[in-house]
Amino acid sequence: MEHFIVSARKYRPQTFKDVVGQQAITNTLESAIENDHLAQALLFTGPRGVGKTTCARILAKRINQDSQDEVSLDEDFAFNIFELDAASNNSVDDIRSLTDQVRIPPQTGHYKVYIIDEVHMLSQAAFNAFLKTLEEPPAHAIFILATTEKHKIIPTILSRCQIFDFKRIGVKDIKDYLHKIAKEEEVNAEDDALHIIAQKADGALRDALSIFDRVVSFSGKALTRQAVTENLNVLDYEVYFKITDKIITNNIPEVLLQLNSILAKGFDSHHFIMGLASHFRDLLVAKDKATVALLEVGDAAKKQYLKQSEQTSVNFLLEAINLANACDLKYKTSKNQRLLVELTLMQLASLTKMGEKKKLNL
């Protein structure tokens, strides 16, 4: 059996231009290298899976490549790059060992680069032992610190670093990258299927690639929206379109039957009501051309949102969002959670009928 390499490792970016969704940071770092204006202590901070360690490795390689007059682009200067996982090497002795290494100049290249991952895990004493070296490092040493929890790092360390805040990666950027990977892997993937994966990843490209690998293992070379929703156990947006159609036509029995069918498949009623609130929000932004861009859905789904939004009024959608949101807030404290969701759905299915009664009374 051929050894399988996960996509997150197989397609890890090797240059700054390959990094997804962090153009402002990669452009700044490129410019700093070219203009010889790079600080000796850098802090990369942001959520997990957005490219902090990847950028640190690319930067470590680029620093030495740029400092040499004649060097092959394949030269990675591996002997000049040192990685320390602060989660498991967080004692004073570990930092002392590091500071002893720092004093020795590099054998090849101009710089020795030290990447300290999960730096917030260092103990207070280890931070204090590191302070002096970070404040006055040798000319040949560059420190790149990476963390998901900047608030846990002591201010005296923060003040000595140039800080780069990595952002969550947008759904569109993740989806476009997954399209590229699918093409490389010869996987025939539906646009909506990749969109669901991108949304589920919540801004983390590494998570998106892990989900992609899992779903491809499940469905093979044909990646459909149905396969993704089944494997990830998420409610397909078709469910929300169908139940909204019944709500608009005041069909309370059918709405309750659809809820029962959803719960019978093992879905959580809290997850369903939150999804319904989001669905009403998406219908509201679809009603105006100026806000259609706020719809983070695939092209096929966007057409359905535009069509269904024409069947609803702004007042109905505002009331519907308010009711669904109120149900979400009350859910955890409710003694009978199913009844709460059913009551909310019955109220939603009565909104347009109540509006008609008010008009008749007038």
Side-chain angles (χ1 to χ4, degrees):
M1 189 175 76
E2 192 180 337
H3 179 61
F4 174 70
I5 302 170
V6 294
S7 296
R9 282 183 58 203
K10 189 176 179 180
Y11 296 101
R12 185 188 279 273
Q14 298 301 314
T15 62
F16 280 132
K17 68 176 171 42
D18 296 331
V19 176
V20 179
Q22 308 293 350
Q23 280 74 22
I25 290 172
T26 55
N27 290 346
T28 304
L29 293 171
E30 279 277 18
S31 179
I33 294 167
E34 285 169 15
N35 298 319
D36 199 20
H37 205 264
L38 193 70
Q40 281 191 271
L42 305 148
L43 176 66
F44 291 175
T45 177
R48 71 180 194 283
V50 295
K52 297 185 298 297
T53 307
T54 295
C55 281
R57 287 175 181 172
I58 295 169
L59 179 61
K61 183 177 161 183
R62 281 280 284 108
I63 289 166
N64 277 307
Q65 281 180 344
D66 206 67
S67 68
Q68 299 289 87
D69 294 329
E70 291 181 19
V71 65
S72 166
L73 289 175
D74 295 326
E75 177 64 67
D76 60 3
F77 293 95
F79 292 113
N80 294 43
I81 302 167
F82 302 87
E83 284 196 46
L84 180 77
D85 177 25
S88 53
N89 299 279
N90 55 9
S91 69
V92 176
D93 289 337
D94 294 315
I95 294 300
R96 278 182 184 150
S97 173
L98 179 73
T99 54
D100 288 341
Q101 287 180 39
V102 169
R103 296 193 189 102
I104 305 163
Q107 299 299 306
T108 57
H110 287 188
Y111 298 100
K112 286 172 84 172
V113 185
Y114 296 87
I115 300 169
I116 305 177
D117 215 351
E118 302 298 338
V119 72
H120 65 273
M121 298 290 280
L122 288 177
S123 65
Q124 183 73 33
F127 270 130
N128 292 335
F130 190 38
L131 269 176
K132 191 66 179 172
T133 306
L134 201 62
E135 188 174 19
E136 295 175 5
H140 60 261
I142 291 176
F143 294 98
I144 305 173
L145 316 180
T147 181
T148 51
E149 300 183 54
K150 186 173 76 172
H151 61 278
K152 289 187 178 179
I153 299 173
I154 59 173
T156 43
I157 292 283
L158 292 175
S159 65
R160 288 163 170 79
C161 297
Q162 199 172 78
I163 300 170
F164 291 87
D165 285 298
F166 284 66
K167 63 179 183 180
R168 288 185 186 278
I169 302 169
V171 171
K172 187 180 182 304
D173 285 336
I174 293 176
K175 186 181 79 172
D176 291 345
Y177 191 71
L178 290 175
H179 265 298
K180 183 181 167 187
I181 302 299
K183 197 173 179 182
E184 288 278 341
E185 294 290 317
E186 297 179 353
V187 173
N188 184 21
E190 289 181 7
D191 185 72
D192 284 346
L194 296 180
H195 196 94
I196 292 166
I197 293 172
Q199 280 186 315
K200 185 77 173 173
D202 193 28
L205 187 59
R206 186 171 62 228
D207 288 4
L209 291 170
S210 298
I211 294 167
F212 176 80
D213 285 345
R214 188 173 109 201
V215 179
V216 168
S217 297
F218 169 75
S219 63
K221 295 290 183 181
L223 198 62
T224 62
R225 191 186 77 210
Q226 187 182 354
V228 172
T229 52
E230 277 180 27
N231 188 260
L232 299 182
N233 198 33
V234 294
L235 275 168
D236 191 352
Y237 57 74
E238 282 291 347
V239 170
Y240 295 115
F241 281 116
K242 284 176 184 174
I243 205 158
T244 302
D245 283 336
K246 302 301 177 189
I247 286 169
I248 293 167
T249 55
N250 316 121
N251 193 338
I252 291 174
E254 197 60 41
V255 168
L256 295 178
L257 286 171
Q258 281 203 25
L259 173 65
N260 187 63
S261 173
I262 290 162
L263 298 181
K265 289 174 185 173
F267 289 104
D268 178 39
S269 55
H270 193 197
H271 175 73
F272 162 74
I273 205 71
M274 287 192 296
L276 189 61
S278 296
H279 179 76
F280 290 138
R281 175 263 179 199
D282 288 341
L283 287 173
L284 187 62
V285 300
K287 286 194 74 68
D288 196 311
K289 287 180 181 177
T291 54
V292 167
L294 298 175
L295 270 178
E296 287 194 335
V297 293
D299 293 334
K302 189 177 282 188
K303 287 176 186 174
Q304 284 183 271
Y305 273 108
L306 291 169
K307 185 181 176 184
Q308 194 170 68
S309 68
E310 290 171 4
Q311 300 166 15
T312 58
S313 67
V314 172
N315 284 341
F316 165 79
L317 290 171
L318 287 170
E319 283 286 336
I321 292 169
N322 195 32
L323 281 170
N325 192 50
C327 178
D328 176 25
L329 295 172
K330 293 174 189 171
Y331 190 89
K332 283 186 179 176
T333 55
S334 173
K335 292 280 195 288
N336 191 337
Q337 293 169 337
R338 175 165 180 160
L339 180 61
L340 176 68
V341 174
E342 286 177 337
L343 179 61
T344 302
L345 289 174
M346 288 188 278
Q347 288 172 327
L348 286 167
S350 306
L351 282 176
T352 51
K353 196 175 279 187
M354 285 164 63
E356 286 171 12
K357 280 184 180 178
K358 283 179 183 176
K359 283 181 183 176
L360 288 171
N361 291 336
L362 289 170

